[in-house]
Amino acid sequence: RACLGPPKALLRYNHLNTLNWMDAIDGGIMGKRIREYDWENSPIGIPLAKWPQSLLSTVTTVLLTRFPCLMFWGEHFVAIYNDAYIPIFSKKHPWVLGKAGNVAWSEVWDVIGPLLKGVVSGCKATWHENQHLALERNAYLEECYFTWSYSPVLIEDQSVGGVLTIITETTMRVLGERRLLNLREMGMVTTRLQTVDDACLSVANVQQKHPADVPFSLIYISDPNNPETFSLKGITSLDPSSKAAPSRISRDNSPWDIATPLSSRQIHVQSDLVALFGTLPSWQWPESTTSAAIIPVYMSEKEDAIGFLILGISPRREFSSDYQGFFELILQQFTTALSMAQTFEQEKRRAETLAAMDKAKTVFFNNVSHEFRTPLTLIIGPLEDSLYDQMDPLSHKQRTRQILVHRNALRLLKLVNTLLDFSRIEAGHVNAHFEPIDVSSLTGELTEVFRSTIEKAGLNYVVNIDTIPELVYLDKEMWEKIVFNLISNAFKFTLKGSIEISLKNQGNSFRFSVKDSGVGIPETELPRMFERFHRIEGGGGRSYEGTGIGLALTQELIHLHKGVIQVESVKDQGTTFHVEMPTGISHLTEKNTKKAESNPSEIPKKSKLGIAFVEEASRWLPQSPAREHVQVETQVQVEVENPEKAQVNEISTGSLAPGNRRILLAEDNVDMREYVLSILSENWIVDWVSDGLQAYQSIKDGQLPDLILSDVMMPNMDGFQLVQAVRTNPRLKLIPIILLSARAGEEAKIEGLKSGADDYLVKPFAAKELVARVNTHLELGRLRLQLDKQVEERTKELMVTNQNLQVEIQERRLAEKLLRRSEERYKTLTTVAPAGIFHTDLDDRTTFVNSRWCHVSGFSMEKILEEGWSAHVEEEYKEPLELLWRLCRQEQRVFNLEFKYVRANGDLLWILGHAVPDKDKDGNIQGYVGTLVDFTERKRLERERLEAIELAEENQQKRAQDAEDHRRSQEFFTDLICHEIRNPLNGIQNNLDFLLECTASRNFKLKSLPKGPTVDEILSTQSQERESMDAIRICANYQKLVTDDVLVISRLRSNQLKLNEVAFDPKTAINSVIKVFDTQIASKGIAVYTYFPSFDTSLIGDPDRLRQVLTNLMSSSCGLVEHAPVKKIVFQLEIMSTSQVESELRISVSTTGSGMTQEEIANLFTRFSQGTYQFGGSGLGLCICKSLIELMGGIFEITSSTEGTIFKFSIKCSKVGAQVVEQPILPLLPSFASNLLVLVVEDNVVNQKVVQRHLTKASIRCEIANNGVQALNALQKTTVPFDLILMDIEMPEMNGLEATRLIRLKELQSEIKIPIIGLSGNARQEHVEAALAVGMNEYIIKPYTRENLLNVITKYLRDT
């Protein structure tokens, strides 16, 4: 720097440094306060202007840091801090600025003072994480936590002048983690609670572990018998005998203010605790807790409070929103715990209630079943006696009736026995009698009971019984019920296919299976198959009948035998029940077992139970619908529930409806169906079906019955569904329907009638009552049909008459409507119109105005009609309006005008007036009808919009100007840097060339001297000097490369980089780049090869940009091969013709070396990113290469392997024909050169000497001027004219551009024009163009070589 002189940028920086240092930075609030503070009267003792540089630099660092920073300075540890530290000082700010450390943090000086002194004395940093400090920054001692570091600050004499503290307050994080642990523990204990007391105790136990945030707690729960009183259920950190913890409180009797939260339903803070209760627990703090939060507990928004949480508030924390939020989370956890406890208690009470109900139901069934058996015994006994009486046999008719009664009595007995067995099992009163049985023979006989019935139904009945060698201990009666229930169930739900029965030996057990191909069971119903009273809706079996306890009873009987039952089923494919029973006697108690009293293989005779099952199953078999005529004695009386129903008068045959009437009977129970048929078939034709679906399908498209008699409970489609289907069918809706049901009671009857039935008959019923109701509804149905027919005919007549009347009425109404519409239209339109409306007559009198115009103008309707609609037009517009209005009336044309109107209150309105001629039907004008629209608001909005647009345009222009200024500032900065670097580079390179020449010349002379120690030593030293100079050249070349890259990046970012396309030879460009790296190539031992094809055409492109790309690639290649075993770089050139006028230039640069990964290659195209090869670099080169290649219309790619790396790129160029042959510029002859005089205008002394040396070597004389002013003076004073001027651009007093402009102005008065060559470190194209525009002949960019400089000079001097 001393050699080259101070750069201009450094001079400007030094000038800036003389300003107030605080004005040069943005120090925020604290920067301003530090500037204004009286530091001379502070412990520091010196004013701001005299602060040492170390203090200024440290304070600058503190103020510009976004992190909270505090600096303790000097022996008194004076506090200086930045904006980010203000919240930590809180209310102590700004008083604490400039105070000594023991004053600023007096409350914690005993903690931090020794630490600060240790840092000063030991010059060693220290740090702490989450350290607790009790700060008094908000008028109370506050629990705070900090993570901080103390670092020593060195001053000019290398001693410690202060301590820099970088700090983060972690209070909220520490408190948050602590509170989260509290809530997590509460969540864990609330999952296993059974009572409310458990919930309260668990929550209290958790809070006992966390007194830091909850110094004490009280939990009160309302008394179930007295909700206004609350009992203490939980307490922590307080003595139960304390005044603060009464066992019971109420709204009117409590030391705690619970009335306020009860009224507000919000958290209430009570702050007078010490006065009320004395000293209260406060964890580890010496001061007492002074306040607590009273939190009401609600289970829902509509319920009253069920309790309170009273939680102490830490005396060292403010009850802020986060503290309140923590208490609210505790409340939520507590509410959840109470809810879970209440739910558990409710479920427990519900289970106890259900168990009691179940027990009562079992007792009821037990009692009822016993009560049923006695009358059933008295029914079945005499019936059997009469049926089997040979001495006095019954007639066929009576025998048929009693068989029906006997069959249903046995069925009822079976149901009663089932209920009784089930109730006895549940009560534990069943005593099974297990005896050894030949289960194979017994089971085979029981299964055969059903064979005839199953095969009659068309099913395949398969029985596979294995021999069980070991006797099985069973209760015969129970086993019989198990087998019969399972087979009966399979038959009921199997309509086609087969039923398979199997008994398999399994060693210590046997398996009894019943498999069918029936309707199957839905998967969702399988878990409930053995629930009592559970039935599957829409099962699709043979009958709807059943109690739903058969399978449940079967399971219980199997469990008594220590067996298990399982079910497998697939919907619509079938079901299989598996019963597995153990053999032997080890699983039974001796009490319930007995020895066989008969032969185990003896097969019992068919029991009444078997007969009942088979009889019931046989009634499910399908029968052909047929009309049966059964003689019924009209004198038979039937017992019914309601005696009134038995009081039915005998109906004679003559009074009945005609016998050709047809009745459709829908009943699934065979016995009931036959009984009803026997009653009705004597008088009418009766068709029957077994369910509602068959009934509907038989009449939907077939012959209509006169009446439908249907049971309610049927499979496939029940009675209610049948009624709905009939009533919604227009063809069937008039058919009378009577429902039969066993459901008695008024509600059942109402439900039946509401469904659409005409009558509802409850079973059991009397035959006469049934006949009477059927006959009545047949007659009603006949009358209904007749009436419907008459109504239909009369309706048609009325429709014709009504149609004529409607036409006449419609025409009259239409005329009246049109008249009213014509009268009201104008009134309606004018009333609701958003604009004012007026009407004038032929005399221009205003005859009408609407209410809207009265509202807008503020005048009454009478005043406007009197004065006219335009009476209050603003004076400026009165005359133009009257002229236009008069003209329009005269020419009978439309009136349009915008004008101002003076409202009644004096406000000015903008009105748009529009009026058209009012003509009658003959086209004669009756006056004018017009509208008056108030568009004042629109005018205002338009004015505001225009103002907003103008403001937006101004802002846009300002932003554009700011952006342009910013861009120019960046360009100026870039140019400044480039210029300041290129100037010394020019001196370095040119002086280096001179040194090399001098060294070579001296070396040549030394070699001619006799050899000796001195000469050898000098030669050895010269070799080292050459190596040093080569290193300087490499560094200078690299510095130039970086400068060029920075300039290109700047121009690329501003989209101002333009290509300068000229004819050039690609081979020459490549060779020139390689030549620049000669020194580096030779020093590193790199071999460079070029492969150029033979071609006869040159290209048009930008050779400068191409050379910049090649220079960067060459620099990167040198770095890649530096550590390779074989250091080799290969350039390969190809030219591909793409059209008649265009070619594609392809260049590849191959290197040896270890290569790069794909990730490293991808990073190379990022600015300031470098590969892993350690050769330095700015990280701009390859990024610039890619951008320049794309700018020239090409592509750039890199491939790499373990053998090396290849850079490939292509650019588009134009053809120019013949190859460009660069003619060498011959040097000037010394005799000619010595007569030439050159004026060198350069402010830099080094560059002056460089140019002077180059010219002198070429035998050219020169004079020196330091700036443009001296150059003008030299031109004016010289007696010998100058042949050429070398003009620097950037110079003090007058720059080169201004000097050139003035020289060219003076030359206008003469015929002589001196060539002027510009010299500058600014390489931007704009600068080149500016230089040429003022009159310079050439522009040379520094650094330049002597060869380049002399070639340009020679070019112009030879022309001269």
Side-chain angles (χ1 to χ4, degrees):
R1 186 178 301 276
C3 175
L4 299 177
K8 298 174 183 178
L10 183 60
L11 293 176
R12 283 193 292 272
Y13 174 76
N14 290 335
H15 175 66
L16 176 64
N17 199 32
T18 62
L19 301 175
N20 189 322
W21 67 278
M22 290 299 297
D23 293 332
I25 63 171
D26 181 14
I29 297 173
M30 293 309 300
K32 181 179 179 182
R33 289 191 176 276
I34 291 173
R35 282 198 302 271
E36 297 172 352
Y37 195 81
D38 184 9
W39 293 104
E40 189 172 4
N41 293 320
S42 72
I44 290 181
I46 56 177
L48 179 64
K50 297 182 179 181
W51 277 9
Q53 185 62 44
S54 55
L55 177 55
L56 287 173
S57 300
T58 307
V59 172
T60 302
T61 302
V62 169
L63 291 177
L64 295 180
T65 302
R66 301 292 296 274
F67 220 75
C69 288
L70 168 65
M71 184 181 66
F72 293 101
W73 188 261
E75 59 180 342
H76 299 290
F77 298 102
V78 177
I80 303 174
Y81 53 96
N82 61 1
D83 288 0
Y85 201 89
I86 292 175
I88 297 178
F89 273 129
S90 188
K91 294 182 179 179
K92 285 188 175 185
H93 168 79
W95 168 84
V96 76
L97 177 65
K99 298 296 188 294
N102 59 353
V103 176
W105 283 130
S106 58
E107 62 271 29
V108 292
W109 191 251
D110 59 330
V111 177
I112 67 174
L115 296 174
L116 291 170
K117 294 175 181 177
V119 172
V120 172
S121 62
C123 192
K124 185 176 181 182
T126 183
W127 74 286
H128 285 271
E129 184 175 8
N130 296 333
Q131 184 181 20
H132 169 249
L133 293 174
L135 302 183
E136 192 174 355
R137 56 183 180 178
N138 289 308
Y140 70 95
L141 277 179
E142 183 179 354
E143 178 187 4
C144 301
Y145 296 89
F146 297 93
T147 295
W148 50 266
S149 68
Y150 285 166
S151 304
V153 178
L154 301 182
I155 58 177
E156 283 75 4
D157 61 359
Q158 300 303 308
S159 63
V160 178
V163 178
L164 179 63
T165 303
I166 300 177
I167 190 167
T168 298
E169 182 168 0
T170 59
T171 304
M172 299 313 299
R173 188 182 71 187
V174 172
L175 296 182
E177 292 174 353
R178 191 169 71 195
R179 293 168 181 175
L180 183 61
L181 177 62
N182 185 329
L183 296 171
R184 186 183 299 116
E185 291 182 4
M186 285 189 65
M188 294 174 62
V189 301
T190 55
T191 58
R192 50 181 183 273
L193 304 175
Q194 298 183 359
T195 65
V196 172
D197 289 349
D198 289 344
C200 297
L201 184 59
S202 299
V203 171
N205 289 338
V206 172
Q207 299 310 317
Q208 185 71 41
K209 301 176 185 178
H210 300 279
D213 294 302
V214 186
F216 66 86
S217 64
L218 300 168
I219 303 175
Y220 286 92
I221 299 297
S222 63
D223 190 338
N225 299 323
N226 185 7
E228 296 295 327
T229 303
F230 302 90
S231 301
L232 181 62
K233 297 294 184 179
I235 182 172
T236 63
S237 303
L238 286 173
D239 191 333
S241 61
S242 171
K243 294 180 181 180
S247 59
R248 297 171 70 85
I249 61 175
S250 64
R251 181 192 289 262
D252 301 326
N253 184 19
S254 171
W256 296 97
D257 182 12
I258 64 173
T260 300
L262 279 176
S263 302
S264 65
R265 301 176 73 93
Q266 301 292 330
I267 295 177
H268 171 62
V269 177
Q270 187 168 342
S271 304
D272 53 351
L273 302 187
V274 176
L276 286 173
F277 309 118
T279 302
L280 294 176
S282 59
W283 190 35
Q284 62 184 6
W285 314 125
E287 60 268 29
S288 170
T289 297
T290 60
S291 59
I294 306 175
I295 309 173
V297 181
Y298 297 93
M299 300 307 294
S300 69
E301 293 183 358
K302 297 182 180 179
E303 295 181 3
D304 294 333
I306 67 164
F308 289 94
L309 285 176
I310 301 177
L311 306 179
I313 300 172
S314 172
R316 294 203 173 182
R317 290 299 304 172
E318 180 186 7
F319 191 64
S320 57
S321 57
D322 59 286
Y323 208 153
Q324 180 173 338
F326 168 59
F327 279 2
E328 289 172 351
L329 291 175
I330 291 179
L331 173 63
Q332 291 179 11
Q333 293 280 29
F334 180 58
T335 306
T336 301
L338 289 180
S339 178
M340 295 179 66
Q342 289 179 344
T343 302
F344 184 86
E345 291 179 339
Q346 292 171 1
E347 290 296 328
K348 182 178 179 182
R349 288 194 296 270
R350 187 180 297 111
E352 293 172 350
T353 302
L354 290 175
M357 292 173 60
D358 192 58
K359 182 177 180 181
K361 184 167 60 177
T362 301
V363 173
F364 170 75
F365 281 138
N366 193 16
N367 295 334
V368 169
S369 299
H370 279 86
E371 293 300 321
F372 273 133
R373 289 171 67 87
T374 299
L376 280 173
T377 302
L378 297 176
I379 293 172
I380 295 174
L383 275 174
E384 291 179 347
D385 292 343
S386 63
L387 286 173
Y388 300 111
D389 189 351
Q390 301 295 328
M391 302 298 295
D392 189 11
L394 299 170
S395 64
H396 176 70
K397 188 173 185 178
Q398 294 297 333
R399 184 177 180 81
T400 300
R401 291 174 176 173
Q402 293 202 19
I403 288 173
L404 176 63
V405 175
H406 182 262
R407 185 166 55 242
N408 283 278
L410 289 178
R411 182 184 173 208
L412 183 58
L413 178 62
K414 169 177 163 282
L415 295 176
V416 170
N417 286 335
T418 301
L419 288 172
L420 182 60
D421 289 342
F422 203 88
S423 63
R424 292 173 63 191
I425 289 173
E426 288 199 332
H429 297 158
V430 172
N431 293 319
H433 302 286
F434 303 105
E435 55 183 312
I437 292 176
D438 183 354
V439 70
S440 300
S441 300
L442 176 60
T443 306
E445 179 64 22
L446 295 177
T447 57
E448 288 301 319
V449 172
F450 281 89
R451 181 174 293 278
S452 174
T453 303
I454 292 174
E455 291 179 347
K456 190 181 293 184
L459 301 177
N460 187 20
Y461 191 49
V462 181
V463 180
N464 295 317
I465 304 295
D466 290 354
T467 300
I468 308 300
E470 185 178 354
L471 293 178
V472 180
Y473 281 79
L474 298 173
D475 185 304
K476 287 183 180 180
E477 183 180 349
M478 292 183 181
W479 182 246
E480 186 178 357
K481 293 177 181 178
I482 293 170
V483 173
F484 286 161
N485 264 307
L486 294 177
I487 297 177
S488 173
N489 186 74
F491 177 67
K492 182 177 181 180
F493 293 101
T494 304
L495 305 181
K496 60 181 179 179
S498 64
I499 297 176
E500 298 180 15
I501 312 296
S502 64
L503 185 71
K504 302 293 182 181
N505 181 22
Q506 294 184 328
N508 296 328
S509 64
F510 69 89
R511 170 176 281 195
F512 174 68
S513 302
V514 179
K515 180 180 180 182
D516 65 62
S517 60
V519 297
I521 305 168
E523 185 178 357
T524 56
E525 296 287 345
L526 286 174
R528 305 188 62 192
M529 284 305 299
F530 300 105
E531 291 183 13
R532 51 183 180 161
F533 310 120
H534 176 68
R535 302 181 64 187
I536 301 175
E537 296 294 334
R542 295 180 181 273
S543 174
Y544 193 81
E545 299 171 347
T547 60
I549 62 174
L551 290 177
L553 176 62
T554 300
Q555 184 186 47
E556 294 297 333
L557 294 176
I558 292 170
H559 287 170
L560 287 174
H561 287 77
K562 307 303 180 185
V564 293
I565 182 172
Q566 297 175 337
V567 60
E568 301 171 356
S569 184
V570 178
K571 181 68 174 173
D572 299 326
Q573 295 185 20
T575 304
T576 303
F577 285 91
H578 297 291
V579 177
E580 190 167 333
M581 305 279 271
T583 59
I585 197 173
S586 60
H587 60 286
L588 303 173
T589 61
E590 184 177 353
K591 175 182 177 181
N592 294 332
T593 58
K594 62 179 180 178
K595 296 181 179 179
E597 297 179 355
S598 59
N599 188 352
S601 61
E602 180 180 351
I603 305 304
K605 295 180 180 180
K606 187 178 293 185
S607 64
K608 287 185 179 181
L609 180 62
I611 294 172
F613 271 101
V614 174
E615 283 289 340
E616 183 178 16
S618 65
R619 311 308 290 173
W620 298 337
L621 292 175
Q623 301 178 16
S624 300
R627 294 188 300 276
E628 299 182 15
H629 301 279
V630 182
Q631 299 297 323
V632 182
E633 296 182 2
T634 58
Q635 292 83 7
V636 175
Q637 301 290 328
V638 181
E639 294 284 359
V640 295
E641 281 187 355
N642 189 351
E644 296 179 0
K645 293 184 179 180
Q647 307 298 324
V648 180
N649 295 327
E650 183 175 350
I651 303 174
S652 64
T653 306
S655 63
L656 295 177
N660 61 351
R661 298 293 177 85
R662 185 179 300 276
I663 300 173
L664 177 62
L665 172 64
E667 173 62 68
D668 62 326
N669 186 284
V670 178
D671 289 337
M672 178 59 69
R673 189 166 65 228
E674 291 178 353
Y675 176 64
V676 173
L677 281 171
S678 68
I679 297 174
L680 301 180
S681 58
E682 288 187 351
N683 301 298
W684 302 288
I685 300 172
V686 182
D687 296 326
W688 65 267
V689 291
S690 58
D691 60 52
L693 183 60
Q694 294 179 16
Y696 184 70
Q697 291 175 346
S698 66
I699 65 174
K700 183 174 63 173
D701 300 317
Q703 183 179 2
L704 298 182
D706 296 291
L707 182 139
I708 298 174
L709 183 64
S710 173
D711 188 21
V712 173
M713 307 299 289
M714 295 182 294
N716 298 324
M717 180 186 283
D718 62 26
F720 292 142
Q721 293 172 335
L722 174 61
V723 172
Q724 184 179 8
V726 170
R727 292 294 181 243
T728 55
N729 190 320
R731 181 171 175 267
L732 312 176
K733 64 181 181 179
L734 295 178
I735 300 176
I737 302 176
I738 301 177
L739 292 179
L740 303 176
S741 177
R743 293 175 60 192
E746 193 68 23
E747 296 81 3
K749 185 175 182 179
I750 292 173
E751 182 182 1
L753 296 176
K754 280 185 175 181
S755 67
D758 295 273
D759 205 347
Y760 187 90
L761 192 58
V762 179
K763 302 175 185 178
F765 48 80
K768 286 185 177 182
E769 183 181 8
L770 176 63
V771 172
R773 296 198 182 199
V774 169
N775 182 69
T776 300
H777 287 290
L778 283 172
E779 287 299 317
L780 290 175
R782 181 181 61 81
L783 294 175
R784 185 184 301 161
L785 289 174
Q786 292 177 356
L787 180 61
D788 184 69
K789 185 176 181 181
Q790 293 174 2
V791 169
E792 185 177 358
E793 293 175 354
R794 182 59 179 162
T795 301
K796 290 181 180 179
E797 296 175 359
L798 291 174
M799 285 180 64
V800 175
T801 304
N802 183 61
Q803 187 174 2
N804 296 330
L805 289 173
Q806 287 294 330
V807 172
E808 183 178 351
I809 293 171
Q810 190 69 22
E811 292 176 350
R812 182 176 298 175
R813 286 180 177 175
L814 181 59
E816 293 176 354
K817 185 177 181 180
L818 291 174
L819 180 60
R820 287 195 303 271
R821 184 179 298 174
S822 63
E823 293 174 349
E824 295 177 359
R825 180 184 297 125
Y826 188 76
K827 180 180 179 181
T828 302
L829 289 175
T830 58
T831 302
V832 303
I837 298 176
F838 68 92
H839 182 272
T840 63
D841 58 15
L842 291 175
D843 297 328
D844 201 20
R845 290 193 300 267
T846 302
T847 59
F848 172 81
V849 290
N850 67 344
S851 57
R852 175 61 182 170
W853 180 241
C854 296
H855 174 73
V856 171
S857 66
F859 297 104
S860 66
M861 186 175 296
E862 292 77 10
K863 186 174 181 63
I864 296 174
L865 293 176
E866 179 184 353
E867 297 179 348
W869 65 272
S870 61
H872 296 279
V873 173
E874 204 264 337
E875 289 297 331
E876 180 183 356
Y877 292 89
K878 264 192 177 182
E879 185 176 352
L881 184 144
E882 291 175 356
L883 290 174
L884 181 61
W885 177 252
R886 193 162 47 247
L887 180 63
C888 291
R889 291 181 67 248
Q890 290 173 358
E891 299 180 0
Q892 298 184 6
R893 59 188 180 92
V894 176
F895 168 81
N896 274 304
L897 182 66
E898 292 182 2
F899 56 89
K900 288 184 180 180
Y901 187 89
V902 182
R903 204 169 181 273
N905 60 1
D907 293 344
L908 282 178
L909 303 178
W910 273 101
I911 303 297
L912 173 62
H914 175 78
V916 297
D918 179 20
K919 299 180 180 180
D920 59 16
K921 62 180 181 179
D922 298 326
N924 299 320
I925 292 182
Q926 303 297 314
Y928 266 77
V929 177
T931 59
L932 300 167
V933 179
D934 176 12
F935 68 108
T936 307
E937 182 65 17
R938 191 181 72 188
K939 276 283 190 179
R940 183 185 64 80
L941 293 176
E942 287 179 356
R943 185 173 62 256
E944 291 180 356
R945 184 172 63 85
L946 290 175
E947 292 174 354
I949 291 174
E950 292 174 357
L951 180 60
E953 290 176 350
E954 291 178 3
N955 292 335
Q956 181 65 24
Q957 293 174 359
K958 185 177 183 301
R959 285 194 295 270
Q961 186 62 41
D962 291 343
E964 179 64 20
D965 292 343
H966 179 67
R967 184 187 66 80
R968 290 177 180 175
S969 298
Q970 286 184 326
E971 290 181 1
F972 174 77
F973 178 74
T974 303
D975 294 341
L976 177 65
I977 294 299
C978 293
H979 181 271
E980 294 300 329
I981 293 176
R982 287 175 185 272
N983 264 330
L985 276 179
N986 188 61
I988 291 172
Q989 286 190 344
N990 284 281
N991 282 287
L992 182 62
D993 291 339
F994 178 73
L995 286 175
L996 288 172
E997 291 177 359
C998 294
T999 302
S1001 176
R1002 185 173 57 186
N1003 190 27
F1004 177 77
K1005 294 178 180 179
L1006 287 173
K1007 286 182 180 179
S1008 63
L1009 296 176
K1011 292 186 177 181
T1014 304
V1015 174
D1016 293 340
E1017 183 180 354
I1018 294 174
L1019 290 174
S1020 174
T1021 304
Q1022 284 187 340
S1023 176
Q1024 295 176 2
E1025 291 175 353
R1026 180 59 184 261
E1027 290 179 359
S1028 299
M1029 286 185 282
D1030 288 343
I1032 293 173
R1033 180 176 294 280
I1034 292 172
C1035 293
N1037 288 338
Y1038 176 72
Q1039 195 66 33
K1040 179 179 181 300
L1041 177 63
V1042 172
T1043 304
D1044 293 341
D1045 288 346
V1046 170
L1047 183 62
V1048 170
I1049 280 289
S1050 174
R1051 300 179 69 182
L1052 284 172
R1053 290 183 61 187
S1054 60
N1055 295 322
Q1056 292 187 341
L1057 185 64
K1058 298 179 182 178
L1059 298 178
N1060 183 23
E1061 296 184 339
V1062 296
F1064 74 100
D1065 182 359
K1067 293 187 295 183
T1068 303
I1070 294 174
N1071 288 329
S1072 65
V1073 170
I1074 296 174
K1075 185 176 181 181
V1076 172
F1077 286 86
D1078 283 347
T1079 303
Q1080 189 172 348
I1081 291 170
S1083 65
K1084 294 184 178 181
I1086 301 173
V1088 180
Y1089 301 90
T1090 58
Y1091 294 93
F1092 298 150
S1094 175
F1095 60 89
D1096 297 329
T1097 59
S1098 63
L1099 301 173
I1100 294 178
D1102 191 333
D1104 293 335
R1105 300 304 167 207
L1106 177 61
R1107 279 191 287 269
Q1108 190 169 0
V1109 171
L1110 292 172
T1111 301
N1112 275 300
L1113 293 182
M1114 186 65 183
S1115 175
S1116 297
S1117 299
C1118 290
L1120 287 169
V1121 303
E1122 185 172 357
H1123 301 290
V1126 178
K1127 303 175 182 178
K1128 182 171 71 173
I1129 300 174
V1130 178
F1131 284 82
Q1132 188 166 356
L1133 170 67
E1134 293 182 80
I1135 295 181
M1136 304 296 293
S1137 177
T1138 57
S1139 67
Q1140 292 183 355
V1141 296
E1142 288 188 352
S1143 295
E1144 185 176 87
L1145 175 63
R1146 298 178 181 177
I1147 298 176
S1148 67
V1149 182
S1150 306
T1151 69
T1152 56
S1154 59
M1156 294 178 288
T1157 65
Q1158 291 299 319
E1159 182 178 359
E1160 292 168 348
I1161 292 174
N1163 289 334
L1164 290 177
F1165 297 118
T1166 304
R1167 282 188 300 166
F1168 310 115
S1169 175
Q1170 300 176 350
T1172 57
Y1173 45 87
Q1174 302 298 321
F1175 64 93
S1178 64
L1180 294 174
L1182 294 179
C1183 173
I1184 290 174
C1185 287
K1186 186 173 185 297
S1187 300
L1188 290 176
I1189 290 169
E1190 291 174 350
L1191 182 65
M1192 291 186 284
I1195 57 175
F1196 183 34
E1197 61 181 13
I1198 302 175
T1199 58
S1200 186
S1201 65
T1202 56
E1203 297 179 356
T1205 301
I1206 301 176
F1207 301 97
K1208 292 182 180 179
F1209 70 90
S1210 63
I1211 60 175
K1212 294 180 180 179
C1213 299
S1214 300
K1215 299 177 180 177
V1216 295
Q1219 181 179 7
V1220 176
V1221 179
E1222 296 185 3
Q1223 298 295 332
I1225 299 176
L1226 299 177
L1228 298 172
L1229 294 175
S1231 59
F1232 176 73
S1234 62
N1235 295 322
L1236 299 177
L1237 180 61
V1238 174
L1239 176 61
V1240 178
V1241 186
E1242 172 68 65
D1243 64 328
N1244 188 285
V1245 177
V1246 175
N1247 286 328
Q1248 288 177 0
K1249 293 180 179 180
V1250 167
V1251 176
Q1252 188 175 16
R1253 188 180 298 120
H1254 290 334
L1255 294 176
T1256 301
K1257 197 168 185 65
S1259 303
I1260 300 173
R1261 294 177 298 135
C1262 66
E1263 289 186 12
I1264 304 297
N1266 292 320
N1267 52 54
V1269 175
Q1270 293 183 11
L1272 293 175
N1273 293 333
L1275 286 171
Q1276 186 175 0
K1277 295 178 180 180
T1278 183
T1279 57
V1280 179
F1282 292 103
D1283 297 288
L1284 185 138
I1285 300 174
L1286 294 177
M1287 181 77 73
D1288 188 23
I1289 304 298
E1290 297 289 338
M1291 294 181 294
E1293 295 191 38
M1294 181 184 290
N1295 60 37
L1297 297 179
E1298 180 64 17
T1300 301
R1301 186 182 67 82
L1302 294 176
I1303 292 172
R1304 294 304 185 208
L1305 285 175
K1306 290 183 179 181
E1307 289 177 346
L1308 293 176
Q1309 302 173 1
S1310 65
E1311 297 179 356
I1312 301 174
K1313 188 175 182 180
I1314 304 173
I1316 301 177
I1317 311 300
L1319 304 175
S1320 178
N1322 290 327
R1324 195 181 297 275
Q1325 185 63 29
E1326 298 92 287
H1327 297 151
V1328 176
E1329 294 173 355
L1332 298 178
V1334 297
M1336 289 187 177
N1337 299 81
E1338 195 84 23
Y1339 189 92
I1340 300 177
I1341 300 173
K1342 301 175 183 178
Y1344 47 78
T1345 63
R1346 180 175 64 188
E1347 181 181 1
N1348 291 341
L1349 178 64
L1350 292 178
N1351 283 342
V1352 174
I1353 292 174
T1354 302
K1355 171 184 174 183
Y1356 286 98
L1357 290 180
R1358 177 175 284 111
D1359 293 342
T1360 304

